[in-house]
């Protein structure tokens, strides 16, 4: 068997055409995941037990199910149940599937980041009669953001790698 260098170089010249598709899938999925993950974090930190239970169920379900299965359910299964989704494109299915999946990881990252802020700073803000919203926005959120950035970056790298599963839905991108 002989290695064909011309074929390899021909393939490498075609790769740049697929970079925008991969980048767009990853960025849109990450934006969706950040919003859903933030919402899930607020549910996790809620004093209302059913909200915490829903967040725990969502996180357990999406972290425990393989990504490929989720993509197949979204692209092939949901249009069978909900006829309004029959026109769903493979690109949209991948963005939603990866966004929902990564949101479950980001929710845990965000929760850990919020919990890592020293309780003494929160108590100091409360003793100064600062409202809960201002305390969260001006004291907790900046520190939690710094704590969450490394793990969020790792999640984005994982998301870029998972875009290769879009090929299973017929969408050609960089890794396909």
């Amino acid at each position: 068997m002989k290695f064909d260098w011309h074929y390899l170089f021909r393939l490498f010249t075609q790769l740049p055409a697929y970079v925008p598709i991969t980048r767009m899938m990853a960025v849109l999925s990450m934006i969706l995941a950040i919003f859903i993950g933030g919402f899930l974090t607020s549910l996790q930190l809620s004093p209302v037990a059913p909200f915490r239970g829903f967040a725990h169920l969502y996180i357990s379900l999406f972290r425990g199910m393989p990504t490929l299965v989720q993509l197949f359910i979204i692209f092939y299964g949901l249009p069978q149940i909900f006829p309004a989704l029959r026109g769903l494109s493979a690109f949209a299915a991948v963005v939603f599937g990866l966004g929902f999946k990564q949101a479950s990881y980001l929710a845990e990252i965000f929760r850990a980041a919020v919990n890592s802020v020293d309780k003494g700073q929160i108590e100091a803000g409360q003793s100064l009669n600062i409202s809960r919203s201002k305390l969260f926005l001006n004291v907790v959120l900046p520190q939690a953001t710094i704590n969450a950035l490394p793990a969020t970056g790792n999640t984005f790298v994982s998301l870029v790698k998972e875009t290769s599963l879009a090929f299973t839905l017929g969408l050609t991108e960089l890794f396909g």
Side-chain angles (χ1 to χ4, degrees):
M1 184 167 162
K2 184 178 174 188
F3 189 76
D4 189 3
W5 287 98
H6 295 290
Y7 179 71
L8 178 71
F9 290 129
R10 190 166 40 98
L11 284 180
F12 271 108
T13 60
Q14 295 173 0
L15 285 179
Y18 298 110
V19 170
I21 297 169
T22 302
R23 183 178 39 214
M24 186 63 74
M25 277 192 298
V27 168
L28 290 176
S29 296
M30 191 66 177
I31 291 170
L32 180 65
I34 288 172
F35 284 117
I36 295 173
F39 177 70
L40 288 171
T41 301
S42 66
L43 292 180
Q44 280 182 308
L45 299 174
S46 171
V48 182
F51 291 163
R52 289 193 314 268
F54 172 77
H56 180 70
L57 177 69
Y58 180 96
I59 291 167
S60 297
L61 179 71
F62 278 90
R63 286 180 77 172
M65 189 185 309
T67 308
L68 185 60
V69 172
Q70 290 177 12
L71 291 178
F72 280 178
I73 288 172
I74 290 172
F75 189 63
Y76 296 114
L78 289 181
Q80 298 296 321
I81 299 169
F82 303 107
L85 296 176
R86 288 220 170 115
L88 187 67
S89 68
F91 184 84
V94 169
V95 168
F96 288 127
L98 293 178
F100 292 153
K101 169 85 171 186
Q102 296 302 324
S104 62
Y105 289 99
L106 287 178
E108 287 295 316
I109 291 169
F110 296 162
R111 181 196 53 78
V114 168
N115 288 339
S116 71
V117 175
D118 186 24
K119 301 297 180 207
Q121 295 185 23
I122 297 170
E123 291 171 359
Q126 289 172 340
S127 70
L128 293 172
N129 203 20
I130 298 175
S131 68
R132 287 178 53 97
S133 60
K134 282 190 178 185
L135 186 62
F136 181 77
L137 289 175
N138 297 325
V139 177
V140 176
L141 190 60
Q143 294 178 58
T145 302
I146 291 170
N147 292 339
L149 273 178
T152 304
N154 290 342
T155 302
F156 183 71
V157 170
S158 174
L159 177 63
V160 170
K161 291 190 298 184
E162 284 186 340
T163 60
S164 65
L165 295 173
F167 192 70
T168 61
L169 300 182
L171 185 63
T172 306
E173 49 83 50
L174 179 64
F175 299 113

